[in-house]
Amino acid sequence: MSAVNDTKFNSAVFLLTGIPGQEDIYLWISILFCLVYVISIVGNSVILFIIKTDPSLHEPMYIFLSMLAVTDLGLSISTIPTILGIYLFKFRRISLNACFAQLFFIHSLSKIESSVLLLMAFDRFVAICNPLRYASILTPPRIAKMGLVVVLRSVALIFPLPFLLKQFRYCRGNVLSHSYCLYSEVMKAACSDFTVNSIYGLCVKILTVGLDSFLIFLSYVMILKTVLSIASHTECLRALNTCVSHLCAVLVFYISDIDLAVTHRFGNSSSHLFQILLGYVYLLVPPMINPIVYSVKSKHLRVRIIRAFVK
């Protein structure tokens, strides 16, 4: 009877993982994560506040940036409870329902971020390749529709994941490799055959990250072709400079996302520590880096932020 109860208990929770072997310095690690979260939340909140309160920033480029900031805030908030719970209180347990909810928000928000980066690439494409029609193409109603399509696509594709995972029976000792729940990790903890789920997850990845990254690449091919046709070297550099901050955001997001996906599916030989660190880079670095990069590279935004704090 006790064995049955023990099995039910273990099947009702997952055990999250911090950094194995570093338990003695968990307090210092928690301080580092707190610093990362403060920078992420404050940085993105400041950008949202400045864009909302300054009418001169109500342009397509800054509207898309505010979408990115909202998404980054959501990603940070989705991971804060479990990561800090492990490093501050050594609380590793998470219920199945809480785990499913967390992975839904993490994956849907990451897919939304991928789509927003694509919209930002489209914004740069129109601004550089067709500047005379920029205002007529990217009108506020059209931008709102694009944002709605981005959210609906991501939620529609990720919504079935928790329900697919609920159909499984989970084995004893459901220890996950990260400090938060990811679909591929939870799926592998099931006792049943998860081939269909694995194929669906791969299709979602291809339809979102794969398609978005390909379209971003095409947009920059067209941008580069247009820029190289510009006679003036100064104008050429000025046009490319408007893309630098977006390129930084794209590289940080897609490199870590693709690396993590490949590692989970094919990287059984890679070290466990490497997977853990890559997972942190994937979820924590983009929300922290994006507001810094855009604040530094966008002179217009930087001036408004400095002016707001000076006041």
Side-chain angles (χ1 to χ4, degrees), residues 159-181:
F159 188 73
L161 297 186
F163 297 99
L164 290 173
L165 292 174
K166 274 192 173 184
Q167 308 304 314
F168 290 143
R169 183 174 60 86
Y170 292 94
C171 306
R172 177 178 302 199
N174 304 321
V175 180
L176 304 180
S177 299
H178 297 285
S179 305
Y180 44 83
C181 294

Side-chain angles (χ1 to χ4, degrees), residues 187-200:
M187 179 180 64
K188 290 177 182 178
C191 302
S192 311
D193 179 30
F194 50 78
T195 304
V196 174
N197 298 64
S198 182
I199 293 173
Y200 180 78

Side-chain angles (χ1 to χ4, degrees), residues 107-176:
H107 287 289
S108 58
L109 287 168
S110 65
K111 301 303 177 285
I112 290 173
E113 176 148 356
S114 174
S115 301
V116 171
L117 290 174
L118 173 60
L119 295 182
M120 296 175 84
F122 178 70
D123 168 79
R124 291 299 85 205
F125 167 76
V126 176
I128 294 173
C129 300
N130 204 347
L132 297 179
R133 295 187 59 203
Y134 181 75
S136 62
I137 293 175
L138 292 174
T139 60
R142 186 167 292 166
I143 292 173
K145 291 177 182 177
M146 292 165 70
L148 182 61
V149 169
V150 161
V151 173
L152 290 178
R153 184 191 74 157
S154 302
V155 171
L157 289 172
I158 301 300
F159 188 73
L161 297 186
F163 297 99
L164 290 173
L165 292 174
K166 274 192 173 184
Q167 308 304 314
F168 290 143
R169 183 174 60 86
Y170 292 94
C171 306
R172 177 178 302 199
N174 304 321
V175 180
L176 304 180

Side-chain angles (χ1 to χ4, degrees), residues 22-32 87-88 90:
Q22 305 298 324
E23 288 79 7
D24 294 340
I25 58 170
Y26 268 14
L27 179 60
W28 297 104
I29 296 175
S30 68
I31 293 174
L32 175 63
Y87 291 103
L88 281 176
K90 297 183 179 179

Side-chain angles (χ1 to χ4, degrees), residues 28-102:
W28 297 104
I29 296 175
S30 68
I31 293 174
L32 175 63
F33 281 128
C34 286
L35 181 62
V36 170
Y37 280 126
V38 168
I39 294 173
S40 301
I41 292 173
V42 172
N44 287 292
S45 298
V46 167
I47 284 180
L48 284 173
F49 175 77
I50 296 298
I51 292 175
K52 184 179 184 300
T53 56
D54 193 333
S56 66
L57 295 178
H58 294 174
E59 300 175 2
M61 181 177 73
Y62 296 106
I63 294 174
F64 290 132
L65 178 57
S66 64
M67 292 181 186
L68 185 66
V70 170
T71 308
D72 285 337
L73 277 174
L75 277 172
S76 297
I77 294 170
S78 298
T79 56
I80 281 177
T82 53
I83 293 180
L84 292 186
I86 290 173
Y87 291 103
L88 281 176
F89 309 108
K90 297 183 179 179
F91 186 78
R92 297 179 57 197
R93 293 180 181 177
I94 182 170
S95 68
L96 259 65
N97 290 332
C99 187
F100 295 156
Q102 186 183 51

Side-chain angles (χ1 to χ4, degrees), residues 6-28:
D6 191 35
T7 301
K8 288 182 178 179
F9 173 79
N10 279 281
S11 65
V13 297
F14 286 113
L15 294 178
L16 302 172
T17 303
I19 300 179
Q22 305 298 324
E23 288 79 7
D24 294 340
I25 58 170
Y26 268 14
L27 179 60
W28 297 104

